[in-house]
């Protein structure tokens, strides 16, 4: 087990890629704090996982754009579990609009959660990791932090910021035994995408040279690897989990 006896925190952990990562980290031997705004989903997931393996999961409500809540998340984790070894900084929201008509409040909300929220989680997680002299932080960016796409000004700007923030944090933390990396997923097969009409779904799939959408579990495996000692010489990296999306046109 790659994460045996490790303590991990997953933001946005109650659903989607976050939920898949919580499950994979537990399967790899970790105890996981599920941090999410959705208390109903988070509590239900923790209950389900603890019925299978007692004590493997704890739910902690958090709005990552609220620094007080983020600080409490990590103080509570360390107080209850003794340490924080790995963090998947995953909470985020989407939004689409043409730049010239993008409402400022919508832009600000995406930046607040997808970029400032990532910074706040990193700030408070890395403080604990630096003091203990070890740890792995994995930030969730996106293919749209690496290439542009129309109608995604706020989201792409935030995710691009996450990619370069990661490099900066990696440089700051390397002397202290702490690693910081990014995963950048492409389009992942979720119930939301399955609601698309057949033509739109086929067009989306065609953007991926590998010939299909990604699965949440595939992103989770990449995160667990970066969290583990198997990735001990990897920091400042941006791992594209994208089925070839960003490689170019064939």
């Amino acid at each position: 087990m790659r994460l045996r006896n490790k303590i991990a925190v997953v933001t946005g952990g109650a659903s989607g890629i976050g939920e898949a990562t919580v499950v994979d980290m537990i399967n790899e031997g970790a105890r996981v704090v599920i941090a999410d705004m959705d208390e109903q989903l988070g509590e239900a997931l923790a209950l389900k996982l603890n019925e299978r393996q007692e004590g493997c999961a704890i739910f902690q409500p958090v709005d990552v754009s609220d620094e007080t809540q983020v600080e409490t998340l990590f103080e509570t984790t360390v107080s209850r579990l003794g340490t924080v070894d790995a963090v998947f900084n995953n909470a985020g929201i989407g939004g689409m609009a043409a730049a010239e008509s993008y409402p400022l409040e919508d832009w600000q909300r995406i930046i607040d959660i997808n970029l400032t929220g990532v910074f706040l989680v990193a700030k408070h997680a890395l403080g604990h990791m630096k003091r203990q002299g070890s740890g792995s932080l994995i930030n969730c960016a996106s293919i749209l932090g690496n290439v542009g796409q129309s109608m995604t000004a706020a989201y792409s700007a935030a995710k691009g910021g996450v990619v370069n923030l990661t490099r900066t944090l990696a440089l700051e933390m390397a002397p202290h035994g702490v690693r910081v990396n990014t995963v950048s997923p492409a389009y992942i097969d979720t119930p939301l995408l399955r609601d698309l009409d057949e033509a739109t779904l086929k067009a989306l799939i065609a953007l991926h040279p590998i010939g299909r959408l990604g699965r949440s579990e595939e992103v989770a495996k990449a995160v667990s690897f970066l969290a583990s000692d198997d990735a001990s010489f990897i920091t400042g990296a941006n791992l594209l989990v994208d089925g070839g999306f960003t490689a170019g046109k064939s």
Side-chain angles (χ1 to χ4, degrees):
M1 291 184 178
R2 281 177 166 169
L3 302 176
R4 185 185 297 276
N5 299 324
K6 300 284 190 182
I7 304 300
V9 175
V10 178
T11 67
S15 62
I17 292 171
E19 178 183 358
T21 302
V22 169
V23 171
D24 193 70
M25 285 181 158
I26 289 171
N27 289 341
E28 291 285 359
R31 296 180 70 188
V32 181
V33 176
I34 304 164
D36 204 286
M37 287 183 68
D38 193 322
E39 295 192 34
Q40 185 175 356
L41 274 182
E43 292 282 11
L45 178 59
L47 179 62
K48 180 176 73 173
L49 294 171
N50 285 317
E51 286 175 348
R52 188 184 72 183
Q53 182 181 328
E54 186 176 355
C56 69
I58 295 170
F59 174 69
Q60 176 72 30
V62 67
D63 175 352
V64 297
S65 67
D66 183 323
E67 184 166 15
T68 299
Q69 291 188 39
V70 173
E71 185 175 18
T72 298
L73 167 65
F74 288 102
E75 288 180 348
T76 300
T77 298
V78 172
S79 175
R80 294 180 67 177
L81 301 176
T83 186
V84 55
D85 300 303
V87 174
F88 183 33
N89 202 351
N90 168 68
I93 58 173
M96 298 185 71
E100 72 272 13
S101 59
Y102 218 119
L104 180 58
E105 60 270 23
D106 293 352
W107 163 278
Q108 194 61 57
R109 182 63 175 158
I110 289 173
I111 297 298
D112 285 347
I113 294 175
N114 291 11
L115 183 55
T116 304
V118 168
F119 166 73
L120 290 175
V121 170
K123 173 183 176 180
H124 290 282
L126 292 173
H128 289 284
M129 291 177 175
K130 181 178 178 180
R131 285 189 289 275
Q132 68 195 26
S134 64
S136 174
L137 172 69
I138 304 98
N139 295 323
C140 191
S142 166
I143 48 171
L144 300 185
N146 298 269
V147 297
Q149 181 171 296
S150 60
M151 308 291 286
T152 67
Y155 186 86
S156 293
K159 294 300 187 178
V162 169
V163 172
N164 218 34
L165 173 64
T166 296
R167 297 185 181 110
T168 299
L169 296 176
L171 293 172
E172 290 184 7
M173 289 296 111
H176 305 287
V178 179
R179 298 182 296 105
V180 187
N181 293 290
T182 304
V183 291
S184 286
Y187 287 95
I188 303 302
D189 189 6
T190 65
L192 180 63
L193 292 185
R194 294 185 206 119
D195 290 338
L196 297 174
D197 63 79
E198 186 176 356
T200 303
L201 186 59
K202 283 184 177 179
L204 201 59
I205 290 170
L207 297 173
H208 303 75
I210 208 166
R212 63 174 176 82
L213 302 177
R215 296 188 293 270
S216 295
E217 295 78 8
E218 292 173 312
V219 183
K221 291 290 184 185
V223 175
S224 290
F225 164 68
L226 290 172
S228 77
D229 293 339
D230 288 348
S232 57
F233 199 57
I234 300 175
T235 196
N238 177 26
L239 178 54
L240 290 154
V241 188
D242 73 347
F245 185 104
T246 61
K249 303 294 184 182
S250 60

